[in-house]
Amino acid sequence: QRSLVGSEMCIRDRCFDRKAFSYWLILAYDSISVLLSGVLVFWIQKGSPFMQDYFLDILAGLLVCLAVYIIAFFKFHTFNGMLRFSSFIDLHRVAYSTFTAGIGVCILHQIQIHCGLSKYILFPRFISGLLMFVCATMLMWTLRIVVKTLHDYYTDDINKLTNTFIYGCRNGGVAIAKGIRSEASPRFRLKGFIATEKIQDSSYILGLRVYEDDDSIVETMKAQNVRVLLVSPLQTEKFTHRPTLINALIAAGIKIMMMPLAQEWDGKSNLTQNQLRPVDIEDLLPREKIEVNMEAIGKMIAGRRVLITGAAGSIGSEIARQVASFGPADLVLVDQAETPMHDVRLYMAKKHGNLNVHTIVGSITNETQMEEIFETHKPEFVFHAAAYKHVPMMEDNPAMAIQNNVYGTRVIADLAVKYGTKKFVMISTDKAVNPTNVMGCSKRICEIYCQSLNNAIVSGEVKGETQFVTTRFGNVLGSNGSVIPLFKQQIRKGGPVTVTHKDIIRYFMLIPEACRLVLEAGTMGKGGEIFVFDMGDPVRIADLAQRMIDLSGAKDVKIEYTGLRDGEKLYEEVLNDAEETKPTVHPKIKVAAVREYPYELALKNEKELYEISLHYDDMAIVKKMKEVVPEYKSMHSKYMELDK
């Protein structure tokens, strides 16, 4: 069977490749079409006797007309493409060329009449020239349409193309359809469109039926043996808010594929098969579109010196990418992870080779190195994303949580004040709210220091001009060490997928949108604020795991509940129960009114914590952390006895 299919493909290729219909053969056919059209027009208008009497005169006139047509063919490149990939653009070129040539023929006829040229040449008159243009165009179109149709028929039959629907029937959906139809090696056979709004009965686009997005659409797709749904880039938000449809598609075994996001598509060009990708779980979480003031962010960053710590991490690297797009004068990227930092370096060289980018391997706890960086580059804006973030790791290593997260933040914050940084934006976490683990408490202590330092600057207690802003948000989808990459790995291995508790929930946000909100908060912050992001609705982790299993198509992959880890909550809080929030100009960003600490006390606590951490006595370290942050109550941890 494989041999037979291979033979059929060889026959197909020989019949439809460029050699079979080379450029010159296409030009020859088009030229013959012009001559036949001219002969047909003279025969219809003058009859056979006239043509017999003036055959040589007619032939001479038609040859001159052919020369005009050939010039037009070269001008509009009508014969340069491969006929099997003909499109409406190619048909337009043919029409433009024949119309231009038709005008040229009419001009020749007028010149012959008014200038008394040789009576031995007969040019078609105006009506005759018009008929000749129409007839030649039809003959040339016919060849292209027939070859295209035969090629598509044999290709569909041999390659066993996958039946496909397109979700969205406006610009995005049409661009997908045109792109697929123009592919040299298509993978999909389009069977119809799904409209996202009310339509008239029996509507058609590009010859394909348009169906309404109703409860019966999946059954319609199954009846037509549709195996793939392509989602238009302009309809992704609406599609993700159709959980019933998504569940029905997954249950029916219909694969969902996404196109580039709307902001990544120019809205004009066709979308190709290579831009298709299988849907990820991140794509299917219903989320409201987050708008930010990109103009204000651009004004803040463009032409300025910017330092980003933790620049090789999930958040830091995305902030670096977004900041680079605004054209800073100097972009300094710092991280202690060498290999990921090298990846960032390669990205910046490829995408932003015109920028002055410095990729530096170093730890924020190395005060000597950090001061050299600040002294050399004098950053005007600092985005501080460097931190140890894994809850179980910090639960076992509280000394490192203090030395890296707490002390490292103090090093960078103090240097920002010393070297005149205008704004310092610290990335915090919702785990700092009513912390139940070492990591969350360490980030709360960082918040306390930055806010107290800002207040000390405002009051004149500390000399400086730096504005300190803190941003809190929850889990980001797809970040290093998050559940989604872990679940994907477990599914590939056949399971089980491990979830700590059947009722555990988390708030999720996409990395790019979280970073855009960080930049937005940086522009609106005046100093001392702790901004809290609206994370949307929480997601049940067990449901997330099951959806990922269903999307993968894997069979017999089970979910296994392993129990809560040390310091882990069933649910995350975004705000302390005792806190109140104030609205901002952005509906997704609020300001938390937290308990404030005097700068002297915050500094004293930090210094004592650092000294204790150097002895690596876990209980002593955590005991001091609980004194600094009284709301820190351990959960599922050996430190619970300190709360008694």
Side-chain angles (χ1 to χ4, degrees), residues 522-580:
T523 62
M524 69 172 65
K526 303 301 181 185
E529 304 98 337
I530 295 180
F531 288 108
V532 181
F533 296 166
D534 181 355
M535 299 291 294
D537 297 326
V539 176
R540 187 168 173 264
I541 300 301
D543 294 340
L544 182 73
Q546 188 60 56
R547 174 63 62 82
M548 291 182 65
I549 293 170
D550 294 339
L551 278 175
S552 72
K555 305 297 182 183
D556 301 323
V557 174
K558 304 298 183 183
I559 296 177
E560 182 178 291
Y561 298 103
T562 58
L564 291 174
R565 299 172 298 179
D566 290 350
E568 188 173 43
K569 299 180 183 180
L570 268 180
Y571 60 93
E572 300 289 0
E573 300 163 273
V574 179
L575 289 173
N576 188 306
D577 292 338
E579 293 172 352
E580 297 179 353

Side-chain angles (χ1 to χ4, degrees), residues 171-172 175 233-234 260-271 275:
N171 291 351
L234 302 179
L261 296 176
Q263 60 262 33
E264 299 173 2
W265 176 52
D266 61 15
K268 299 177 182 179
S269 60
N270 293 338
L271 295 165
Q275 294 172 282

Side-chain angles (χ1 to χ4, degrees), residues 231-243:
V231 181
S232 162
L234 302 179
Q235 301 298 336
T236 51
E237 184 177 355
K238 183 171 289 188
F239 180 76
T240 56
H241 283 79
R242 294 279 283 111

Side-chain angles (χ1 to χ4, degrees), residues 453-494:
L453 180 55
N454 185 89
N455 294 342
I457 292 173
V458 173
S459 66
E461 183 181 350
V462 173
K463 185 178 180 180
E465 59 179 1
T466 307
Q467 297 175 337
F468 286 87
V469 173
T470 297
T471 59
R472 281 181 185 170
F473 52 89
N475 303 278
V476 288
L477 287 167
S479 64
N480 298 327
S482 68
V483 295
I484 289 180
L486 174 62
F487 287 171
K488 286 180 179 179
Q489 183 181 22
Q490 292 174 335
I491 292 170
R492 281 196 297 268
K493 292 180 177 179

